[in-house]
């Protein structure tokens, strides 16, 4: 009975689907008003199936490729894009809304649609540097200087998305194998590596609200200073932290129609909606990332406190796919062992 009811709800037995299921990661968020707008405009109930971080989500989706648990998937970023494409996970779909994207995001692979971008950047604690009369770091090279010894905390790239992005930033900046020399210099200068962003930012970084941390430099996001303002217990005129533009690494998140989807048309409608002005304007406040649609204004707090890097670093997805395991093994040898 339960299986029959689910099949009917998803459009089984030839009936029109009444819902659309989005497979995504645990960081996905959408405001109630925007979700209601999609359901009102399409007549479909939006069901959200979250499955861990981006890597976990993709691994689960690949196991059911062709017979998916949902209709659309969101949260595939550049570091795992090649795996999604080579795994025959997605159907081709080119949204009519693609023409509205900013030039940097135009011309994606026909299997995926860019939805948002976020930059992983160094963040620093303004008060610590002011109180210790040390200039804040301005470049990746600064982190290897004696003045910044023991000040940096990073995430392990094998277990953390921002950690992997920062490793890729050093690959993009210093080349392969030049990045290995850079990390040896970081280790000699007392870098601390922890498993994930939560531990790095809220436990080791001195600039996060309520953190017991002692290290004033952390790998986080360009939008983190805005988050500090938004979630502050009292109104702040200036963010207590700042992002460093040099060395920022761009992560683009994509959506796609899952091959074998029960509601292919609904999945396409959802992707179109994710590029609409309403959804794109909701992206910063809901997920603390940036819209890809041209001309979408940012919230005032982002304008004042967040950083939008002008020339972020990147590594081609196929290059990441070909070298990820080797880079992670080399990083582990240099930093952890």
């Amino acid at each position: 009975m339960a299986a029959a009811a689910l099949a009917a709800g998803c459009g089984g037995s030839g009936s029109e689907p009444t819902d659309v299921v989005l497979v995504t990661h645990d960081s996905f968020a959408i405001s109630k008003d925007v979700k209601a707008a999609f359901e009102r405009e399409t007549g479909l109930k939006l069901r959200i199936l979250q499955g861990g971080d981006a890597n976990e989500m993709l691994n689960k989706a690949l196991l059911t490729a062709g017979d998916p648990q949902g209709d659309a998937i969101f949260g595939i970023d550049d570091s795992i894009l090649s795996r999604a494409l080579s795994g025959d996970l997605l159907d081709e779909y080119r949204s009519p809304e693609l023409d509205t994207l900013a030039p940097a995001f135009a011309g994606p692979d026909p299997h995926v649609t860019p939805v948002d971008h976020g930059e992983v950047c160094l963040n620093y604690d303004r008060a610590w540097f002011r109180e210790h009369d040390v200039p804040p770091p301005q470049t990746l090279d600064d982190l290897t200087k004696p003045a910044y010894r023991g000040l940096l905390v990073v995430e392990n790239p094998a277990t953390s998305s921002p950690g992997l992005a920062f490793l890729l930033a050093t690959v993009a900046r210093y080349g392969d194998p030049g990045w290995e020399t850079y990390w040896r210099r970081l280790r000699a200068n007392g870098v601390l590596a922890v498993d994930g962003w939560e531990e790095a930012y809220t436990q080791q970084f001195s600039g996060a609200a309520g953190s017991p941390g002692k290290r004033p430099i952390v790998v986080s996001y360009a939008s983190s200073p805005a988050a500090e303002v938004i979630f502050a217990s009292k109104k702040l005129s200036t963010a207590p932290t700042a992002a460093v533009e040099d060395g920022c690494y761009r992560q683009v998140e994509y959506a796609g129609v899952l091959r074998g989807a029960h509601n292919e048309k609904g999945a396409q409608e959802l992707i179109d909606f994710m590029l609409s002005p309403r959804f794109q304007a909701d992206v910063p406040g809901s997920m603390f990332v940036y819209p890809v649609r041209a001309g979408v204004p940012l919230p005032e707090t982002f304008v004042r406190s967040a950083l939008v890097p002008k020339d972020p670093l990147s590594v081609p997805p196929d290059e990441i796919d070909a070298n990820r395991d080797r880079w992670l093994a080399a990083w582990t040898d240099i930093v952890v062992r």
Side-chain angles (χ1 to χ4, degrees):
M1 290 291 292
L6 180 61
C10 294
S13 303
S15 62
E16 285 294 319
T18 59
D19 63 8
V20 59
V21 180
L22 176 66
V23 174
T24 187
H25 52 56
D26 287 348
S27 297
F28 176 80
I30 181 174
S31 67
K32 290 181 180 179
D33 288 348
V34 174
K35 182 173 182 285
F38 169 77
E39 294 178 338
R40 185 171 58 251
E41 291 173 14
T42 63
L44 295 169
K45 177 73 175 176
L46 175 58
R47 293 174 50 213
I48 298 169
L49 182 62
Q50 293 173 298
D53 65 19
N55 276 295
E56 289 178 88
M57 171 199 72
L58 179 60
N59 288 339
K60 292 174 183 176
L62 288 170
L63 289 173
T64 58
D67 185 23
Q69 293 182 306
D71 303 302
I73 188 169
F74 165 77
I76 298 169
D77 64 42
D78 301 279
S79 67
I80 55 176
L81 177 59
S82 290
R83 290 179 56 213
L85 297 177
S86 63
D88 196 20
L89 181 66
L90 306 168
D91 280 334
E92 289 191 13
Y93 177 62
R94 294 195 62 82
S95 170
E97 297 293 319
L98 285 175
D99 291 343
T100 69
L101 300 189
F105 309 103
D109 184 282
H111 293 85
V112 291
T113 302
V115 173
D116 67 59
H117 70 97
E119 282 71 34
V120 171
C121 305
L122 296 169
N123 279 226
Y124 65 86
D125 177 357
R126 293 177 185 267
W128 190 97
F129 285 95
R130 187 167 56 248
E131 292 164 5
H132 289 78
D133 196 26
V134 175
Q138 297 299 309
T139 67
L140 292 181
D141 284 338
D142 282 348
L143 302 178
T144 66
K145 297 176 181 177
Y148 303 96
R149 180 174 180 81
L151 304 186
L152 172 65
V153 57
V154 304
E155 300 87 359
N156 187 326
T159 54
S160 164
S161 176
L164 178 57
F166 186 62
L167 169 58
L168 295 174
T170 63
V171 171
R173 171 58 57 82
Y174 300 105
D176 187 13
W179 68 271
E180 296 183 21
T181 301
Y182 177 76
W183 277 96
R184 290 189 183 94
R185 293 169 67 194
L186 284 184
R187 178 167 183 177
N189 213 33
V191 65
L192 172 65
V194 298
D195 283 344
W197 179 89
E198 191 76 23
E199 181 181 356
Y201 195 85
T202 68
Q203 298 298 314
Q204 300 293 340
F205 178 48
S206 64
S211 170
K214 305 297 183 184
R215 292 188 174 234
I217 312 172
V218 66
V219 171
S220 193
Y221 296 93
S223 58
S224 294
E228 288 291 337
V229 173
I230 291 169
F231 294 116
S233 57
K234 60 180 181 180
K235 188 173 182 179
L236 298 176
S237 58
T238 303
T241 62
V244 179
E245 183 157 6
D246 184 68
C248 288
Y249 186 88
R250 170 165 286 169
Q251 292 180 309
V252 180
E253 288 193 296
Y254 301 90
V257 177
L258 288 164
R259 182 171 61 85
H262 293 288
N263 188 358
E264 181 178 0
K265 181 174 182 292
Q268 295 173 354
E269 289 182 284
L270 177 57
I271 289 172
D272 294 347
F273 182 79
M274 294 174 89
L275 293 185
S276 69
R278 185 158 195 170
F279 184 93
Q280 289 284 297
D282 190 56
V283 157
S286 293
M287 292 188 284
F288 287 89
V289 288
Y290 299 99
V292 294
R293 186 182 178 106
V296 176
L298 294 175
E300 182 58 32
T301 304
F302 275 68
V303 174
R304 293 198 318 268
S305 302
L307 170 68
V308 183
K310 294 182 176 63
D311 191 22
L313 298 169
S314 63
V315 177
D318 56 348
E319 186 176 341
I320 297 171
D321 195 48
N323 295 284
R324 182 193 299 105
D325 291 346
R326 177 174 62 84
W327 289 341
L328 290 175
W331 183 93
T332 301
D333 283 338
I334 294 166
V335 179
V336 178
R337 293 175 184 167

